[in-house]
Amino acid sequence: MQHPRSLLQRLRTGAAGGLILVLLAACSTIDRGTPPPLERNATWVVLPFANHTETPLAGNRAEAISLALLQARGIGRVQRYPGGAQQEALFDAGDAKRQEEVLGWAREKQAKYALAGAVDEWRYKVGVDGEPAAGVTLQIIDVATGDTLWSGTGGKSGWSRESLSGVAQKLIRSLMDSGLSGAR
């Protein structure tokens, strides 16, 4: 039989752990569609991400994280739309002509799927703690038709000692895990 004091300590520890999990869950919001059936070995392209923030190159950073995560997931061949840092300043994801141009490039590369996105928040919050916060929207597009097969959006904030890129990576990974869960 256990001593009552050690049982009380275990209950306190369990309650504290549960409270921490509740607090961590409250730091993010994610909405996503039903994952489509996807061909895992197909050719993918990562298109320019729109940057709706005041942070320079936030779209470029999210693209790089997304590319690395696609490759880490064992997705077939993955390419990134060329253009580098200057491309972000010129790219407006809402511009239909520009969207058709990048999809044309993807078709030339014989890609089956394209990952497109937008960054809505990418900053350290103002205040004493300066918590990192990221907001991202992702879309999986059928390159041949231009149809959006899946989309997901989310926002996540971290603690004052976390890096912004780390928080963004966790958010993008969570979104991708959902969108790619139908890949075979």
Side-chain angles (χ1 to χ4, degrees), residues 34-91:
T34 304
L38 301 169
E39 297 174 31
R40 179 170 292 279
N41 293 324
T43 299
W44 285 67
V45 293
V46 177
L47 301 180
F49 281 29
N51 183 4
H52 300 148
T53 74
E54 295 179 5
T55 306
L57 303 176
N60 195 285
R61 294 172 188 167
E63 284 174 44
I65 291 169
S66 298
L67 176 71
L69 289 173
L70 278 174
Q71 291 172 329
R73 296 288 179 281
I75 294 301
R77 190 168 156 229
V78 183
Q79 296 179 54
R80 187 174 181 186
Y81 185 79
Q86 293 176 336
Q87 189 63 40
E88 181 173 307
L90 302 173
F91 185 73

Side-chain angles (χ1 to χ4, degrees), residues 2 27 64 148 168:
Q2 288 187 341
C27 296
T148 300

